[in-house]
Every structure is written in structure tokens, then in C-alpha cells.
Amino acid sequence: MYDFDEIIERKSDRCRKWDHQYVCSRFGEVPQDFIPLWIADMDFKSPPAVIERFTQVAQHGTFGYTWCFDEFYDAVVRFQAERHQVTVLREWVTLSYGTVSTLHYLVQAFCQPGDCVMMNTPVYDPFAHAVTRQNVTVLTNPLVARDNRYHLDFDHIEAQMREHRPKVWLFCSPHNPSGRIWTAAEIKQVSDLCLQYGVLLVIDEVHAEHVLYGSFTGCLRPGCAAPENLILLTSPNKAFNLGGLKTSYSIIPDPALRAQFRRQLEKNSITSPNLFGVWGIIEAYNNSTDWLDELNNYLRGNADYLTQAVAEHFPDWQMMQPESSYLAWVNISATGRTATELTLDYARQTGVVVEDGSHYVADGEQYLRINFGTPRALLAEAVNRLKNAR
């Protein structure tokens, strides 16, 4: 029904992913015909229902201040119930301007300079930026790669909690960059440790809608994470390719935590939402889940294609199976080169732009992150260029 093979011309958008000037500022001089497989947005049109609503708003021609009206809350509550089988009350939901900025507000709200915040590494690098920019210390807990899959080292985690007493644990579920989906038992163990040591648990579920293999368990499922010290962050941005709208929301069951967080938003003047952002959430959640299901089938095919290509053409690479999202995490340690060296060489020599794993806070120096959220023809062309690289 939906054509995910269509190649969309995106350079005229001036989006970061496809903008030659911007890419050169990050990776050095790259060919004009480069193929970007780096930053985490997809090369597909957003769902027709979203585009139609945006067209209606644009044609109406007025773009005044809006607010979080009933349809927004209804869409969030319904989507979370139907997609993730969790109960969300309207009053738990607070809209904000993107998950990355929300991480900053959370650290501002719940930490003081000199405190520390735990995170499992490698991990999405804005986690660390949100911490260090508030003069708070990053406490890294390395994930353990076993059987080509990441695992949490709970003994080490508890030892760090006991010694360092972090104020917050920023937990990525599913994990970015590897796509690992944590089990309900693992999330419960994370939550239990946070309760035991008085740590605020902040769970980022922005990649939860792209499930490729297995099943995702939302932290709000009964018997999973305790609600009294939990903050859930999510958005439609990854699922429905709406990242440029900078719209997201938090779900905070505990009223005291919620009030404290909202006071911080007020200090930062986070008030009325982005007009297109709030309509984007409504249309994505209410009228676009069939599009999302078909997209996930397409992404699963891309993941399978890339897995086979790596096995066939790159014997020194080892790719973790992405259980979720559209990002491949590839161990290149057997090449004898660093991710930084390979990333720059590939970008400049072949025009294939992938992510350097050293950007992911810690423990990613021997990994590449490859975005396969693109039409398969582009992915195949990128593989062809890389396998012929020197």
C-alpha cells in the first residue's frame, strides 16, 4: 500500500542528513553524490494522514499560538494503550520541545552541580551532553557484549550505585545504538535497584515503535518499573519521521515528580507547543499505525539485507542483530582500525557516510552505526561502494 522504495530528493530540504555543506563540516570533503547513512532520520515520506493534516493547516494560512487540547491527550492515551498495552492517565502527560532538550531540563530539575548521573555505554551521546552541560558528572556503566548481544552487568551497576549514589539513571529502552530490546525482567531489576538506592529512573522509549524482532515491553506495564520514581520520555519523531518538529512528551505517574519537572519547564519558558508538532502527534497516533506496521516490515527486510551483506562482503565486521529501530551497530575491531579512521575514509573516498561509534559517550570506539532507514536501492548502492573501498 505504501511505497518505501521511492527515492525522495532530500537535498533541497536542507536537512542535516543530506545537506552537502553540513556533511562536509562534520566529515571533511565528501563527493557530491554521497549517500548518508548516519544521523537517525529516515528517507521516507511521513504518513499520508500527517501530510494531509499539515497541508490543511498550511493552506488555512494562520499559525498562531496553540495549546495541548483534548485531542492531543486522547491520542497519546489511546496510542500507548493500543500499541504498548499500558495505562496512561491524561494528567501524567507533559508535552515539551524534543527529547534531547527534555533531558537537559530533567537534569536541571533533579540534579545539582557535583551530582552524578548513570548511563549504560555506549549510548546516545546527548545523554552525556545533558549531564555535563549542567556541571553534573557522567557515571558510565559499560554494557557487556556476549554472544553478539548487549547485556546489563547488574553486579557492577549495584556496586556503582552503592559507591557513587547517582541521582538519576538515564536508561535507553530500546537501546540506541544497538537496538537491543530489554526484557520485562531486566527493566524490573533496573527499577528495583533504583528504588533500593534512591535513584530517579528516566527511561527513553523513543525507539519503541520500530520493533523488528521479538516484542517490546513498555516500562509502564504492570509489574515492570515502579511508578513512584519513574519518568518516561517518548515521541512520535522516530516512528513517523517527524524529528524536525522537535516535539515530544513525558509521562510521569508520580504527582510530586511531575510538579517538580513542570516547574523547571516554566523556568525555561516551555509553554505552548509547536503547531505542526501537536497535530503531527494526533494524526500519527490516530490514523497512521497501518503505515507504521508496513514500514516496520520494510525495515526488517533492510535489516536482513544488511546482515547478509555484512556476512558476505565484510568478514572483519560483526553486526549485532537490530531487534528494534533502523540502526545497525557493527563491531569493526577485527579490521585493526578505529571507527574514526574508517568513518572518515569511507565518507571521503566512497561518499558513504556512517556514524563513528566513538561518539556514543564511551565503549563504542570499535563500532560503526549504520542507518538503514532508507530505500533498499540506496542501501544496496552504499554496500556496493563500501565493499569496493580500499
Side-chain angles (χ1 to χ4, degrees):
M1 181 177 178
Y2 303 104
D3 184 9
F4 297 110
D5 284 317
E6 180 185 2
I7 296 177
I8 311 297
E9 188 282 306
R10 297 197 63 197
K11 292 185 178 180
S12 60
D13 297 348
R14 298 309 299 264
C15 62
R16 280 187 283 170
K17 184 178 183 181
W18 280 90
D19 190 89
H20 187 257
Q21 179 182 351
Y22 187 86
V23 170
C24 288
S25 74
R26 290 285 305 271
F27 296 92
E29 194 62 35
V30 303
Q32 288 285 344
D33 65 344
F34 69 98
I35 301 175
L37 304 180
W38 63 295
I39 193 170
D41 72 37
M42 298 182 291
D43 295 317
F44 312 117
K45 287 183 179 178
S46 291
V50 173
I51 296 171
E52 182 179 354
R53 172 62 71 177
F54 288 173
T55 301
Q56 292 171 356
V57 173
Q59 290 179 341
H60 190 69
T62 61
F63 309 104
Y65 300 114
T66 188
W67 63 300
C68 292
F69 41 88
D70 289 344
E71 289 94 327
F72 160 71
Y73 293 105
D74 292 344
V76 169
V77 169
R78 183 185 308 110
F79 181 82
Q80 291 294 331
E82 294 177 355
R83 198 77 186 180
H84 299 306
Q85 297 77 54
V86 299
T87 298
V88 173
L89 301 185
R90 170 185 172 135
E91 58 264 27
W92 296 357
V93 179
T94 304
L95 191 139
S96 57
Y97 299 162
T99 302
V100 171
S101 59
T102 303
L103 290 168
H104 286 70
Y105 307 142
L106 283 168
V107 176
Q108 293 168 6
F110 296 103
C111 297
Q112 298 295 324
D115 288 341
C116 70
V117 171
M118 175 180 281
M119 59 194 70
N120 307 102
T121 53
V123 73
Y124 184 49
D125 51 322
F127 276 31
H129 298 161
V131 174
T132 57
R133 288 169 181 167
Q134 321 307 325
N135 294 316
V136 174
T137 300
V138 172
L139 177 62
T140 60
N141 180 274
L143 294 167
V144 178
R146 187 170 62 248
D147 299 326
N148 202 32
R149 192 168 187 252
Y150 277 136
H151 300 265
L152 294 158
D153 184 346
F154 283 107
D155 289 338
H156 188 201
I157 290 167
E158 184 167 9
Q160 286 185 313
M161 284 188 167
R162 189 183 302 114
E163 179 181 357
H164 298 284
R165 299 288 171 171
K167 287 294 183 68
V168 176
W169 184 350
L170 297 181
F171 187 72
C172 200
S173 176
H175 177 250
N176 177 12
S178 74
R180 167 72 149 86
I181 296 177
W182 307 110
T183 66
E186 287 169 322
I187 297 172
K188 184 178 187 306
Q189 194 167 354
V190 166
S191 177
D192 289 347
L193 283 170
C194 287
L195 285 176
Q196 181 180 347
Y197 290 95
V199 180
L200 176 64
L201 177 57
V202 177
I203 298 187
D204 171 357
E205 289 189 358
V206 298
H207 289 275
E209 276 67 67
H210 291 308
V211 177
L212 308 182
Y213 302 99
S215 60
F216 171 76
T217 300
C219 62
L220 289 171
R221 288 268 191 98
C224 198
E228 58 263 36
N229 70 329
L230 175 68
I231 294 178
L232 167 61
L233 304 180
T234 191
S235 80
N237 295 345
K238 298 303 180 191
F240 300 97
N241 214 27
L242 302 173
L245 298 177
K246 296 293 185 181
T247 304
S248 67
Y249 59 94
S250 62
I251 299 174
I252 309 177
D254 183 80
L257 290 178
R258 191 166 62 245
Q260 186 171 346
F261 174 61
R262 287 177 175 173
R263 285 194 295 271
Q264 187 62 48
L265 292 185
E266 290 173 1
K267 290 180 182 179
N268 287 279
S269 193
I270 308 303
T271 54
S272 57
N274 177 299
L275 173 64
F276 287 92
V278 72
W279 279 115
I281 286 179
I282 292 167
E283 292 298 331
Y285 283 178
N286 286 349
N287 300 307
S288 304
T289 53
D290 59 336
W291 178 92
L292 179 59
D293 291 337
E294 286 198 27
L295 171 63
N296 284 344
N297 287 333
Y298 190 88
L299 292 175
R300 189 177 300 111
N302 275 4
D304 291 343
Y305 169 83
L306 189 56
T307 298
Q308 183 176 348
V310 167
E312 182 177 351
H313 302 297
F314 304 92
D316 292 334
W317 290 13
Q318 188 177 38
M319 175 177 155
M320 289 187 178
Q321 184 183 65
E323 299 166 0
S324 67
S325 196
Y326 46 88
L327 306 167
W329 190 238
V330 182
N331 187 329
I332 49 85
S333 59
T335 66
R337 306 184 67 193
T338 67
T340 302
E341 292 170 339
L342 280 181
T343 299
L344 294 177
D345 282 352
Y346 286 150
R348 295 166 185 175
Q349 293 176 19
T350 73
V352 178
V353 182
V354 298
E355 285 273 18
D356 178 352
S358 67
H359 297 161
Y360 293 84
V361 185
D363 307 302
E365 295 80 6
Q366 296 296 326
Y367 288 85
L368 304 177
R369 194 187 78 167
I370 301 175
N371 178 348
F372 56 83
T374 197
R376 197 155 307 151
L378 283 178
L379 186 61
E381 172 60 20
V383 167
N384 189 58
R385 292 189 193 185
L386 290 175
K387 74 180 184 183
N388 292 322
R390 294 195 302 272

